[in-house]
Amino acid sequence: MTLTTVDALTQALRRRILDGDLAPGTPLREEALSREYDVARHSLRSALRTLQGEGIVQIEPNRGARVKSLSPEDVRGLSELRIALEVEAARMALERHGARLPGSVHGAADRLAAVCRRARPSWGAVAEAHEALHHEIVLAAESPRLAEAHQQAGAELRLFVLQLPPSWTLERMASDHLELVEALESEGAEVLRPHIEESTRALLEG
């Protein structure tokens, strides 16, 4: 299917934001972006409104658009949503798979660790692999409703990782998530709660 101008522009801007090329708080100036992508301003505005609906762009009257910076309230709200969805999904997954997690979850954890251990990986790639792992945990519950709700928060979850303080190292990101998958199988779904709360505290105190 052929992409419309708005769809293609939306994809391009989404990728730049979620790759970390456009950092949280970066102004998205209509004149400059229209010229850069050779599109009409109404097409750009449509793309920005779509990204606003995904929670990764903020549009303010008389101030224009910018890449969204998660506020403390956003961070807390996202944490609460993730705990509600992911802990229940992990409980269901372990119950349905005989207290084990499927290979797709282990594979996603290994891929996240591999990305973190590359020479100079981008935080955008790390954020994408992190989101993929947590989504695989939810998918393992085999609940389409839970999976859909979690997917809708995916872009914000990547912004969350992009805003983590420098003290949250790549090695820590890799080891924490490999240990998380092991702990889920040995200790149960509730280990996800402190895992999410710890990164939330780091971002709030960052």
Side-chain angles (χ1 to χ4, degrees):
M1 188 173 72
T2 303
L3 287 179
T4 67
T5 298
V6 173
D7 289 340
L9 181 58
T10 302
Q11 285 189 8
L13 291 173
R14 183 191 295 114
R15 173 54 60 186
R16 288 183 67 186
I17 291 169
L18 297 182
D19 280 350
D21 181 39
L22 295 170
T26 300
L28 300 169
R29 305 193 190 284
E30 286 188 12
E31 182 178 356
L33 288 171
S34 296
R35 187 167 56 248
E36 180 179 353
Y37 288 98
D38 192 24
V39 296
R41 287 200 182 192
H42 66 82
S43 296
L44 177 62
R45 289 174 190 142
S46 294
L48 293 174
R49 283 195 296 271
T50 297
L51 297 174
Q52 181 185 37
E54 295 177 9
I56 60 175
V57 164
Q58 185 171 2
I59 301 174
E60 299 178 355
N62 303 317
R63 298 187 64 183
R66 66 183 60 246
V67 179
K68 186 172 181 179
S69 292
L70 297 179
S71 68
E73 292 74 20
D74 292 328
V75 171
R76 293 188 190 97
L78 180 60
S79 176
E80 291 166 357
L81 177 64
R82 290 183 62 204
I83 288 171
L85 291 174
E86 293 184 27
V87 173
E88 177 60 13
R91 183 194 66 75
M92 292 169 63
L94 292 165
E95 184 178 273
R96 290 175 176 175
H97 296 276
R100 304 289 294 176
L101 292 170
S104 57
V105 175
H106 289 272
D110 290 340
R111 286 191 292 275
L112 172 58
V115 170
C116 289
R117 289 166 179 163
R118 290 176 189 164
R120 298 184 178 179
S122 72
W123 267 106
V126 173
E128 184 175 7
H130 172 269
E131 180 202 344
L133 168 58
H134 282 270
H135 195 57
E136 284 295 343
I137 294 171
V138 176
L139 287 173
E142 299 174 0
S143 167
R145 287 293 183 89
L146 282 178
E148 182 181 4
H150 190 264
Q151 188 172 35
Q152 289 173 353
E156 280 192 295
L157 180 53
R158 290 203 216 176
L159 282 185
F160 180 97
V161 173
L162 290 172
Q163 290 185 210
L164 281 171
S167 59
W168 206 274
T169 64
L170 291 169
E171 182 54 41
R172 181 178 182 181
M173 181 71 77
S175 61
D176 277 5
H177 285 84
L178 291 172
E179 291 167 7
L180 171 65
V181 172
E182 291 182 7
L184 282 168
E185 294 183 330
S186 61
E187 301 174 39
E190 278 296 322
V191 299
L192 257 169
R193 187 183 303 272
H195 171 88
I196 294 170
E197 290 174 342
E198 185 178 8
S199 57
T200 299
R201 278 194 302 273
L203 189 49
L204 289 172
E205 296 170 0

